[in-house]
Amino acid sequence: MSQISQVEGCTFSTEELQQFHKYYTWSSADLDLTTVDQRIDYFSSNIDPSIDTQRLREWLSTMDVPVVGELYSRFDAYDFAHAPGFNSLLAEVYDTKDVNKHELDLRMEQAKARYYNEHVEPFNCDEYRAYKEASAPKPVCPYQHLWDHGDERSTGGQLDNVCVVDLADYLDQPVDGKELLTLATVSKIHDAIRQAYGEQYYAIAIINSNTDDSRPFLPPLERQQEAFAALLRLQIELRQLNQSKPVVVFASGPVDVSTIGVVLSTADVITTDNFSVSLSPVQEFPLAALYDWSTRLEHPGTAEFIACHPDLILRSSEWTDLGLGQGFIAHRSLASSMDRILLAASCPPPSTRDALRKAYMAESVYPGPSKISVWRPEIERYFAPVSQGIRSLDELIGELSELDMAWARKYLALIDNKEWQAVARLRVAALRSARDMEYSRVLAMEFAVTNAWTRDSSVSADVLIKSPADDSLSDILNVSKPAVDIPDECPFAKMYRKNPERFKDIDLQQIAKHRSVDLQ
């Protein structure tokens, strides 16, 4: 190598110049389009750990190092989620019928570039994209894009306009390996959710940052009447809140059947591969979320099939197939996806709900095949008549006994248990009655029958369901009318939905004045 010597105006010593030039040619490591910081990191890690990084920085600034790379690094690191006024651009981002992740990402990038250019420093989005495409490492596998972002982490931090309730902040630590949702915990969660009524919040998100395939998203409810009443009050509050602003639940772990009503209190439910729920016998709370099971499943007999199946575990694929979950995100990608979804939820009204839904639809992937869809022909043939009152549970058992089929024998073996049959009879009778009731009456029946069942499970299911129950939910749950307005579904609306022909001469405008149970 030829001798490198000082020239007039150069601030570097001969030794420094020899060191910088002798050891490294930037293009040899494909770093000719990188930033100053990236070159310094590489030099100090791979060439000379003892280098004076400040002197190296000064030297690199005199070379043909693309300054624009630093501009783009600043843009990528900018905290748009907390940038004043940025959320006002979100309605424009999601004002599209094309719910495609690539398209929405481009629209979001354009909005960020526009904001950055107007409020931070001059910035050209087209040049940024060209630079990113030119400097991006080429994938070795053509399918690499399918898992490229699986290791992303949350940027963290609360959004000013989204009330995030993290259940991990309130759930008690396991005692002897068992977790319970206690009365005190339910009350704390309820208090946190009430904060979402503040005008500064456009949406509410319920998460649990401390879940996996073993740690529950929501543990079992403690066996206490007051705790059950408190849980029902929480569900009412969530439904009421959902009338004015969206409530989204990120169910990222197992949910106990006794507390599944919290998840079902909104239509905006996002699950992960860690989500699961089983309706196996729960002696204390056999009718949890009765209204939702009786009204929200599209295909007749599905609720009865699930309620009478002791070893059926519903996972994200079944939850989505049943229409109870609207999005599925792999658990390893949840943190980064949640950041983008909650940013969309900070979009000002009236576009909040639309932006939120388009965001989580764009982030969602296929959860896998559903066991329920596989059994749909059998459900329609054998269980639908039970839901319609054409066939009793005993008649169903008798019909299955005559079938020389493996699935029927397995089902009968599972249900051949007096305790489980008692739970199944109660559920079938309750589902049938609930379909003709308003929301508030179903909730009252669930509360009254569950308490009576807990005291004496030997009482006939028909006796329990037909026993006169107090229709005043305010009295049962100790809730005052002014505090909570429970949205009911008009019985005429329900009958019209079942048989429109009966109401062809009815003034539908008058019916429309009734308030319905709408999960939005």
Side-chain angles (χ1 to χ4, degrees), residues 164-239:
V164 179
V165 177
D166 189 348
L167 300 178
D169 294 337
Y170 307 99
L171 294 175
D172 299 324
Q173 292 297 316
V175 178
D176 296 329
K178 186 177 182 180
E179 294 185 68
L180 284 177
L181 189 64
T182 64
L183 171 60
T185 303
V186 174
S187 300
K188 292 176 183 177
I189 295 172
H190 199 160
D191 289 341
I193 286 173
R194 285 196 185 100
Q195 301 301 314
Y197 283 105
E199 293 183 0
Q200 73 272 29
Y201 294 123
Y202 303 151
I204 177 174
I206 301 177
I207 70 172
N208 188 333
S209 60
N210 189 25
T211 61
D212 52 33
D213 56 354
S214 59
R215 291 295 303 277
F217 178 79
L218 273 172
L221 183 67
E222 71 171 326
R223 186 174 179 175
Q224 185 184 15
Q225 181 172 318
E226 291 78 8
F228 186 31
L231 189 73
L232 295 182
R233 287 197 293 271
L234 174 60
Q235 295 174 36
I236 294 170
E237 191 83 68
L238 286 170
R239 290 174 185 261

Side-chain angles (χ1 to χ4, degrees), residues 15-35:
E15 290 76 14
E16 286 177 320
L17 290 174
Q18 287 177 329
Q19 180 190 33
F20 297 157
H21 283 284
K22 177 181 179 180
Y23 290 112
Y24 194 58
T25 301
W26 299 113
S27 59
S28 66
D30 295 327
L31 293 176
D32 50 327
L33 290 178
T34 54
T35 65

